[in-house]
């Protein structure tokens, strides 16, 4: 196996977040190419079509290309370029037929350093692969949901030709140029023998490979039809709950309908803040808003469990999926900000 064991969450070579705050420009902006998905995964609300019909703002579908371009153009209001435009939030990015054009437009912007995405890769045909590679994508995180067609059907409700699927990923890897390919799988559905098969199948067609664990990824999504161990982190360590959410200090999130969410795990759009900021709304205006500052301040005062109308008090991410613990430095960061 030539791939290195590298989790898709970048926990290596990180500049400590506590030393970077406050930020005049976000490190990462999530822009959702589409909030709909072609999979029906047991753990994900986007696959629950009946539920999505009840959520205002969900089921929007693909973002319009012109809307995306306007967002990218507005990034020149920031003093610094955005380190990463992450073309992913709630749905399957490749559902958007303009995905490659989005990558190209963002890459050509002086306000953007890198562009990456997370995809199930089921729509990654050779033709689309070449378009995306030529557009300049810097990193692709591929979520594999099984090691055979039967597991895919059971876990994701998706009927696929598994051999063809692997060949599509191999084609992308063999033609990828500078793009980093990272492949991960949910290890909780695998036997030890199947985990070895995963490494054997994908270990030579990826730069990074990893096995993750099921966590409560979507706060307040009570219809998740898969078991998980709340004592285990996403990457397999021992879980420990923190008070301070690091994500709200370095990233912002734009939905496929061009609304802004306070949190990238805001699957039910309960944390939309456009209407509280004033017109015209721009990414920088959101980033500099008193609404966001008050939200951040709540965490730094160790008061997140008072946010009862939001998902924050019982957020599983803050127990199982946090890349950096800021609790010890909360008072110091609050003083700096």
């Amino acid at each position: 196996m030539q791939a290195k064991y590298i989790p898709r969450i970048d926990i290596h070579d990180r500049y400590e977040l506590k030393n970077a705050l406050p930020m005049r420009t976000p490190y990462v902006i999530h822009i959702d190419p589409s909030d709909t998905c072609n999979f029906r995964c047991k753990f994900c609300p986007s696959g629950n079509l009946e539920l999505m019909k009840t959520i205002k703002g969900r089921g929007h579908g693909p973002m319009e290309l012109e809307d995306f371009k306007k967002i990218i153009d507005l990034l020149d209001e920031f003093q610094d370029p955005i380190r990463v435009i992450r073309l992913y939030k709630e749905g399957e990015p490749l559902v958007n037929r303009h995905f490659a054009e989005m990558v190209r437009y963002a890459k050509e912007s002086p306000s953007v350093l890198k562009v990456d995405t997370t995809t199930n890769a089921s729509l990654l045909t050779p033709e689309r692969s070449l378009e995306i590679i030529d557009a300049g994508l810097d990193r692709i995180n591929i979520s594999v949901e099984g090691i055979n067609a039967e597991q895919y059907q059971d876990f994701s409700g998706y009927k696929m030709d598994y051999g063809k699927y692997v060949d599509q990923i191999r084609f992308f890897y063999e033609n990828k140029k500078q793009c980093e390919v990272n492949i991960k799988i949910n290890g909780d559905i695998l036997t030890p023998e199947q985990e070895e098969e995963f490494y054997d199948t994908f270990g030579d067609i990826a730069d990074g490979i990893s096995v993750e664990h099921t966590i409560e990824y979507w706060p307040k999504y009570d219809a998740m039809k898969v078991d998980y161990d709340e004592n285990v982190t996403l990457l397999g360590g021992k879980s420990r709950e923190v008070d301070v959410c690091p994500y709200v200090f370095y990233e912002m999130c734009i939905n496929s309908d061009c609304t802004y969410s306070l949190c990238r795990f805001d699957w039910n759009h309960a944390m939309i803040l456009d209407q509280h900021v004033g017109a015209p709304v721009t990414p920088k205006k959101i980033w500099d808003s008193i609404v966001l500052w008050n939200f951040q301040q709540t965490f730094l005062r160790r008061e997140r469990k008072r946010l009862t109308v939001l998902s924050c008090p019982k957020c599983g991410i803050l127990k199982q999926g946090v890349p950096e613990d800021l609790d010890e430095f909360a008072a110091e960061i609050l003083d700096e900000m």
Side-chain angles (χ1 to χ4, degrees):
M1 183 177 79
Q2 67 85 31
K4 296 180 181 179
Y5 192 89
I6 303 174
R8 64 189 167 103
I9 296 179
D10 186 8
I11 59 174
H12 304 287
D13 301 320
R14 294 173 63 95
Y15 182 73
E16 287 191 275
L17 184 58
K18 68 181 179 65
N19 297 326
L21 301 177
M23 290 183 183
R24 61 188 184 185
T25 304
Y27 278 171
V28 180
I29 298 183
H30 291 257
I31 305 178
D32 201 5
S34 175
D35 75 333
T36 54
C37 185
N38 58 330
F39 277 21
R40 302 291 176 260
C41 295
K42 293 180 177 181
F43 65 90
C44 181
S46 294
N48 190 330
L49 300 187
E50 290 304 311
L51 176 63
M52 289 299 97
K53 292 177 183 178
T54 70
I55 306 297
K56 183 179 179 180
R58 288 304 310 266
H60 172 268
M63 176 181 282
E64 296 293 336
L65 180 60
E66 289 308 309
D67 289 335
F68 177 81
K69 289 181 176 180
K70 290 175 184 176
I71 292 169
I72 296 299
D73 290 346
L74 287 168
L75 299 182
D76 65 4
E77 294 182 356
F78 288 107
Q79 274 186 275
D80 309 305
I82 307 301
R83 291 190 178 191
V84 179
I85 292 296
R86 185 149 292 152
L87 294 178
Y88 169 73
K89 182 174 180 282
E90 291 161 354
E92 166 50 45
L94 299 189
V95 166
N96 193 315
R97 62 190 177 90
H98 297 298
F99 180 80
E101 296 170 86
M102 290 176 163
V103 172
R104 186 182 302 279
Y105 196 80
K107 284 290 293 183
E108 291 176 349
S109 169
S111 302
V112 176
L113 298 182
K114 291 187 176 182
V115 180
D116 71 19
T117 193
T118 294
T119 173
N120 62 40
S122 63
L123 303 176
L124 198 66
T125 63
E127 294 76 18
R128 295 202 76 184
S129 289
L130 293 178
E131 291 175 356
I132 293 166
I133 291 165
D134 184 62
L137 187 69
D138 293 292
R139 175 168 167 153
I140 184 169
N141 299 306
I142 297 175
S143 298
V144 173
E145 307 296 357
I147 60 159
N148 53 55
E150 292 73 24
Q151 278 190 337
Y152 261 88
Q153 182 69 49
D154 177 64
F155 192 73
S156 297
Y158 188 82
K159 186 176 181 180
M160 68 153 56
D161 181 332
Y162 191 76
K164 181 179 178 182
Y165 173 70
V166 175
D167 287 341
Q168 288 180 173
I169 295 174
R170 178 179 291 107
F171 181 89
F172 188 98
Y173 181 79
E174 291 175 347
N175 292 274
K176 70 186 183 68
K177 298 180 182 177
Q178 95 291 347
C179 185
E180 178 184 341
V181 176
N182 190 290
I183 298 177
K184 63 88 175 177
I185 195 170
N186 171 16
D188 295 339
I189 66 172
L190 304 178
T191 65
E193 294 75 21
Q194 289 173 331
E195 185 172 327
E196 284 302 312
E197 186 176 346
F198 165 69
Y199 289 125
D200 290 341
T201 302
F202 296 99
D204 289 326
I205 55 174
D207 299 298
I209 195 166
S210 62
V211 173
E212 295 183 353
H213 296 270
T214 306
I215 67 172
E216 191 181 11
Y217 203 79
W218 305 105
K220 288 192 174 182
Y221 179 51
D222 299 326
M224 188 168 78
K225 298 176 182 177
V226 60
D227 294 329
Y228 68 96
D229 185 349
E230 64 179 16
N231 297 309
V232 178
T233 68
L234 181 71
L235 303 181
K238 183 175 176 56
S239 65
R240 186 176 72 84
E241 191 170 14
V242 301
D243 286 326
V244 182
C245 175
Y247 297 108
V248 301
F249 294 96
Y250 69 86
E251 63 181 27
M252 67 185 308
C253 314
I254 305 176
N255 301 308
S256 64
D257 61 356
C258 298
T259 57
Y260 292 74
S261 282
L262 277 170
C263 172
R264 66 165 150 136
F265 306 108
D266 181 33
W267 65 270
N268 58 350
H269 289 198
M271 303 168 77
I272 303 295
L273 47 66
D274 304 40
Q275 59 266 38
H276 304 296
V277 177
V281 173
T282 69
K284 188 174 189 303
K285 193 164 187 177
I286 293 289
W287 189 249
D288 293 339
S289 69
I290 191 65
V291 178
L292 179 58
W293 160 234
N294 286 337
F295 187 58
Q296 294 170 333
Q297 184 175 231
T298 301
F299 289 101
L300 294 176
R301 295 190 185 283
R302 311 287 289 270
E303 297 174 347
R304 77 170 169 91
K305 295 200 174 180
R306 295 175 57 184
L307 296 168
T308 54
V309 297
L310 303 180
S311 304
C312 306
K314 296 183 179 180
C315 178
I317 299 298
L318 297 186
K319 187 174 184 180
Q320 296 176 274
V322 175
E324 190 165 344
D325 184 352
L326 296 177
D327 284 8
E328 178 184 351
F329 312 102
E332 176 186 337
I333 296 170
L334 180 61
D335 185 58
E336 286 293 324
M337 294 186 70

